[in-house]
Amino acid sequence: MTQRLLALGRVKFLLYSPILYTVGAIIPTLEGGSLHAGHFVHGVLFTWVTHLMTHYCNEYYDLEPDRANVSPSPWTGGSRVLVKGLVAPELSLRLAYALAVVSLVLALLMPTMSARVLCLLAIFFSWEYSAPPFKLEALGLGEATVTLVLNILVPVLGYCLQSGGLQPHPLLLVLVPLGIIEYIRMMVMNMADWESDATTWKKTLVVRIGIENAVKVHGVGMVLAYLSLIPLYFAGVPLTVLLALLATAYMGLRYAYRLQKGAWRQKQTMWIIPYIASTHNGLGGSAALIGMILLKPGVSPSSLELFPLYLYLGGFLLLKFMARLKRQPPVAAEPGGNPA
């Protein structure tokens, strides 16, 4: 049962949110000082609980479109746990409610009013992503909602907890290209499911504007994400951070080019592109964090600063290993029935 509940919660997606949180949290320490461990851990716990709450909530309310999806991938179409009847749908909703309570408690225990407000906004938009009455994903606002929560509220919460407030800082501008990359990555996730979504209430942005227009928007967005590095330089973002982000451009532009050339028409290709888009998204956040760590010359990065990078790398390697095991052919058996 534990394995099924973990699969239902799609815990592999939780590898990314601590990176964005730390991107914001590290900024106040770049001119000296270290992360406040208690506040950092508090924020990470809130981020993870809220993220996990969203998954269980989404699994319950997306059951109809997930059932309509006959060509899911490991990254799209839901976890398939409810679709296969391995867990009762009501259990997923009960878990979502329980996690919402924990998330609310963690939010109210935040040390400042600004942090509490950020947390409450994150809970609201995370829940309403797929739950009534708003069902934001069905209004074509799913991409914007995910970007708002993961790429704005979460890193700004990290920044707020370490700085003690919401004072403006030029390095927060790195959230612009990261936000664009997140937005178009979510478009890719919905591209993979657009045909089945169109037959249900889940009228995502891709369904509303059409798959061909969505692909065009994705291409423009990818180019804009990296062109935005130029004005960010003149706005005061250090070149080290911008070059780190630029290092991820080839991967992003390459898969965007494949989509422009019609890769979205091929089911087999769209089985893998959501994985590439998600990996590119994670590497973008990791690059920004590494660039900020490099801004602290002569200071060894702390374990808290490196924690999300080690977690993401370890999780990535584990997922690759598990995927390889699933692809291995069955062991041949000898006439006596024993494996060869």
Side-chain angles (χ1 to χ4, degrees):
M1 177 60 77
T2 300
Q3 185 176 357
R4 292 177 182 179
L5 293 179
L6 289 175
L8 181 65
R10 292 176 289 169
V11 294
K12 61 188 175 186
F13 288 107
L14 271 62
L15 297 174
Y16 179 55
S17 47
I19 296 174
L20 287 170
Y21 172 81
T22 310
V23 164
I26 197 175
I27 293 175
T29 72
L30 296 180
E31 297 176 359
S34 58
L35 291 171
H36 186 294
H39 290 171
F40 183 87
V41 173
H42 190 170
V44 169
L45 287 176
F46 169 82
T47 300
W48 263 342
V49 171
T50 307
H51 201 164
L52 195 57
M53 173 204 76
T54 309
H55 288 171
Y56 286 117
C57 177
N58 180 249
E59 285 285 311
Y60 178 81
Y61 287 108
D62 269 13
L63 184 54
E64 179 191 343
D66 286 348
R67 281 175 173 161
N69 192 333
V70 296
S71 56
S73 78
W75 297 86
T76 60
S79 70
R80 316 307 289 175
V81 172
L82 298 186
V83 173
K84 295 176 181 179
L86 302 177
V87 172
E90 293 75 18
L91 178 57
S92 186
L93 185 60
R94 286 197 293 270
L95 287 170
Y97 277 125
L99 289 167
V101 171
V102 176
S103 183
L104 182 60
V105 171
L106 289 171
L108 296 177
L109 291 176
M110 286 291 167
T112 65
M113 179 57 70
S114 55
R116 289 192 284 273
V117 171
L118 290 169
C119 290
L120 293 175
L121 287 172
I123 294 171
F124 173 80
F125 283 105
S126 296
W127 188 268
E128 290 301 326
Y129 172 76
S130 55
F134 297 110
K135 291 191 175 184
L136 295 169
E137 61 174 347
L139 299 177
L141 298 173
E143 292 84 354
T145 302
V146 172
T147 302
L148 171 64
V149 175
L150 282 180
N151 291 77
I152 299 178
L153 296 178
V154 165
V156 171
L157 172 64
Y159 175 81
C160 180
L161 286 174
Q162 298 299 322
S163 66
L166 291 175
Q167 303 90 344
H169 195 290
L171 265 171
L172 288 172
L173 292 173
V174 300
L175 301 181
V176 173
L178 294 179
I180 297 173
I181 290 171
E182 177 72 79
Y183 187 93
I184 60 175
R185 171 249 177 182
M186 285 303 301
M187 291 187 73
V188 170
M189 308 300 272
N190 288 328
M191 286 177 199
D193 298 338
W194 77 276
E195 290 178 298
S196 57
D197 287 344
T199 66
T200 69
W201 55 263
K202 193 178 176 181
K203 300 301 188 287
T204 63
L205 177 65
V206 176
V207 173
R208 288 171 177 270
I209 68 175
I211 182 67
E212 294 189 13
N213 287 330
V215 169
K216 293 175 183 177
V217 171
H218 180 277
V220 172
M222 187 67 75
V223 173
L224 283 177
Y226 289 102
L227 285 180
S228 71
L229 302 184
I230 298 173
L232 260 59
Y233 173 74
F234 292 103
V237 178
L239 186 61
T240 301
V241 177
L242 298 179
L243 289 176
L245 280 169
L246 187 61
T248 67
Y250 175 76
M251 182 181 186
L253 293 170
R254 185 172 183 270
Y255 94 77
Y257 179 77
R258 291 176 65 188
L259 284 175
Q260 300 302 313
K261 288 298 182 179
W264 59 269
R265 294 186 174 92
Q266 305 165 15
K267 286 291 183 184
Q268 185 176 5
T269 304
M270 285 309 294
W271 196 86
I272 190 65
I273 283 187
Y275 163 73
I276 298 173
S278 296
T279 303
H280 173 248
N281 192 41
L283 290 178
S286 299
L289 179 55
I290 291 171
M292 292 183 185
I293 290 174
L294 292 176
L295 289 177
K296 305 172 75 172
V299 179
S300 299
S302 69
S303 56
L304 291 179
E305 293 166 353
L306 295 175
F307 155 73
L309 297 174
Y310 287 140
L311 179 69
Y312 185 77
L313 178 60
F316 177 81
L317 294 176
L318 178 61
L319 290 172
K320 291 282 285 185
F321 176 72
M322 293 174 65
R324 182 173 297 180
L325 287 180
K326 290 181 180 179
R327 288 196 299 266
Q328 288 182 353
V331 178
E334 293 179 340
N338 296 320

